Amino acid sequence: MTCQASGVDEVLDGRHPSLSTPSPKSHWPKLIAVLVLVAITVTIFATGAYERIDPVAIQGTLQDAGLWGGLLFILAFAVLQPLHISAHVFIIAATLVWGPGEAILYAWTGSMAAAAVCYAFGNWVGEDWMAERLPDRFALRMNKIQAHSFKATLGVKLLFFTTPTLQMAFGAFKVDFRKCMAATAIAHAIYIIPEVLLGDQIAAWASSVWGG
């Protein structure tokens, strides 16, 4: 691969020793963090809490929160979506709570915060750990994604939207953060804007049918 003057390409060519040959002690904090994350995810699904995370429930919580509702929504999006809670749950909830403009803003900001959380986690656990959990075809193409950060990230995000594992992979394989987030911003807007606008129209229609 042709070497280019960017931090990503330097990492690619050098294969940072801290990623490829970590000391035994450095494994433990990462292993504990992964186990905690797995335990939280299993608990959410095993106890049925996942079924209770629905747009109507979120709507009530945000309305009760008043002015803090937007911040609470973004925080919940950033924390829960990386645990495989569908981003569409939050987008629909935003449509129910706010008008189209605010709903788009809050949903987009929350999705960006979730993407940043995934990137940071992937960057922390490292390339080797993440490579074992990716589909072989995707892992083999990470070099190309690193070399063409913006276009490759945009393509992946347009296909898979907010899939947490893939978002973590961008961080683990040291895809340029600024280019990754710029592509993520565009891809998320392409998904969120029409979903909010369509949801608002459906909500208005439902209100006219059953409310009147």
Side-chain angles (χ1 to χ4, degrees):
M1 183 181 66
T2 304
C3 180
Q4 301 178 11
S6 70
V8 171
D9 293 321
E10 289 173 5
V11 172
L12 278 176
D13 291 337
R15 287 296 176 192
H16 233 290
S18 62
L19 294 177
S20 56
T21 56
S23 64
K25 290 183 180 180
S26 68
H27 283 303
W28 285 105
K30 296 179 181 181
L31 179 60
I32 292 171
V34 171
L35 289 176
V36 169
L37 181 62
V38 170
I40 292 172
T41 304
V42 169
T43 301
I44 288 174
F45 283 91
T47 61
Y50 174 79
E51 297 177 356
R52 295 192 292 274
I53 301 175
D54 60 76
V56 175
I58 295 175
Q59 177 189 15
T61 302
L62 293 177
Q63 288 176 337
D64 292 342
L67 295 176
W68 290 95
L71 180 60
L72 180 62
F73 174 85
I74 292 170
L75 180 62
F77 204 141
V79 172
L80 295 176
Q81 197 278 320
L83 297 177
H84 292 269
I85 304 300
S86 174
H88 300 291
V89 170
F90 295 97
I91 296 170
I92 294 170
T95 304
L96 294 174
V97 176
W98 297 290
E102 288 179 300
I104 290 170
L105 176 62
Y106 287 132
W108 180 85
T109 304
S111 73
M112 292 298 294
V117 169
C118 287
Y119 185 101
F121 180 79
N123 185 269
W124 186 60
V125 297
E127 178 179 332
D128 294 337
W129 183 87
M130 185 58 64
E132 296 176 0
R133 288 151 182 84
L134 288 173
D136 291 339
R137 291 174 60 187
F138 188 86
L140 290 173
R141 293 178 180 176
M142 281 308 302
N143 283 351
K144 292 182 179 180
I145 293 176
Q146 289 166 319
H148 306 282
S149 301
F150 180 83
K151 291 191 295 184
T153 301
L154 182 60
V156 171
K157 298 293 288 186
L158 287 174
L159 286 174
F160 299 102
F161 192 28
T162 59
T163 303
T165 305
L166 297 181
Q167 294 190 124
M168 292 174 189
F170 295 135
F173 286 88
K174 304 297 185 289
V175 173
D176 184 273
F177 179 74
R178 288 177 297 179
K179 293 179 181 179
C180 178
M181 293 304 289
T184 297
I186 295 172
H188 285 193
I190 290 173
Y191 269 93
I192 290 170
I193 291 173
E195 185 168 348
V196 168
L197 295 178
L198 179 61
D200 186 64
Q201 292 298 316
I202 292 174
W205 174 80
S207 177
S208 66
V209 172
W210 286 289

